[in-house]
Amino acid sequence: MLVAWGVTSGGGGGSRDDGKSGGSDPVESITPGPSGSGPAISQQPGGRDESGENGGSGGSGGSGGADASSGGAGDGASSDGASTGGAGTAGSGTGGGGTAGQQVPAGSPLPECKPAAVRLSLRTKVSYGPDDRPKFELIAKNTSSATCKADLGPKSAVLTVTEAGGEDDDPIWSSKDCPAAAGPLFLKVPAGATVIHTVDWNRTLSAPGCATPPAGKAGPGTYLLEAKTPGEAVQRASFVLAKD
């Protein structure tokens, strides 16, 4: 009986050993798992390729940025179009070109420009801020083939400013009321060229004959600007003095 018991317990131990070895078999079936990670790695480069394609679409997005910048240019253009419009209200046909005119003595041998040879126009900004000083540009274009001199002085090319919608049509300022220099102002106008004479206005009012003008300065509002020269049609423009 003792011998039989020893044989039986030894067989049981064998079954336990088989169980242990059997338990290790599933572990061995798991070990091929790392080989399965190989395809996972092979898929990752594929993901990089796809991201590269996305990057390509990002490049096309850059072209969209170019479209946006083109829109900005349009804004600039629209923007450029308001300033030109101000010149248009003055009846300007000379365009935006031209340089500052060169003053010459009244006794210069240059002949005076004939009205038929020089076209005059007027230009100013559409709006001025509270601290801006309005600038009025007289533009002279010589359409002839000979250089001449044009008198754009304050009494020959008279500039006036009138308040739009005011109680009367009398100008609140005129270049001929009390000019610092009463004599002529001749500018050389080369053949086929355009020159510009700029007049600054400090917003003060004026009165004819250097009489005492009304106190104060021009306030916010819309104003009409006119230029009158002998033998030329009246040139007109408008501008706004903005509020604070």
Side-chain angles (χ1 to χ4, degrees), residues 213-240:
K217 293 187 176 183
T222 302
Y223 293 85
L224 305 178
L225 175 65
E226 287 189 351
K228 298 179 181 179
T229 54
E232 290 280 342
V234 176
Q235 304 295 317
R236 293 182 175 88
S238 64
F239 62 95
V240 173

Side-chain angles (χ1 to χ4, degrees), residues 61-153:
S63 64
D67 293 340
S69 65
S70 300
D75 295 340
S78 64
S79 173
D80 293 342
S83 175
T84 307
T89 57
S92 173
T94 61
T99 58
Q102 175 187 350
Q103 186 175 354
V104 295
S108 168
L110 285 174
E112 290 193 35
C113 298
K114 297 179 180 180
V118 175
R119 289 189 302 171
L120 291 177
S121 58
L122 182 64
R123 183 168 61 195
T124 187
K125 287 176 58 176
V126 174
S127 179
Y128 293 92
D131 299 325
D132 294 340
R133 192 165 177 164
K135 295 181 183 295
F136 310 140
E137 293 181 341
L138 276 170
I139 306 168
K141 182 176 182 179
N142 188 350
T143 60
S144 71
S145 58
T147 299
C148 59
K149 61 184 178 184
D151 183 8
L152 299 182

Side-chain angles (χ1 to χ4, degrees), residues 169-191:
D169 295 332
D170 293 336
I172 62 171
W173 175 86
S174 174
S175 64
K176 71 175 183 178
D177 281 348
C178 192
L185 176 65
F186 284 104
L187 299 181
K188 178 181 178 180
V189 189

Side-chain angles (χ1 to χ4, degrees), residues 16-72:
R16 288 194 188 104
D17 292 339
D18 292 342
K20 291 179 181 177
S21 62
S24 63
D25 289 342
V27 175
E28 292 177 357
S29 65
I30 294 174
T31 54
S35 64
S37 65
I41 296 174
S42 66
Q43 291 176 359
Q44 289 179 359
R48 292 193 186 101
D49 292 341
E50 293 173 3
S51 65
E53 292 175 0
N54 293 336
S57 64
S60 63
S63 64
D67 293 340
S69 65
S70 300

Side-chain angles (χ1 to χ4, degrees), residues 154-155 179-184:
K155 290 189 175 182

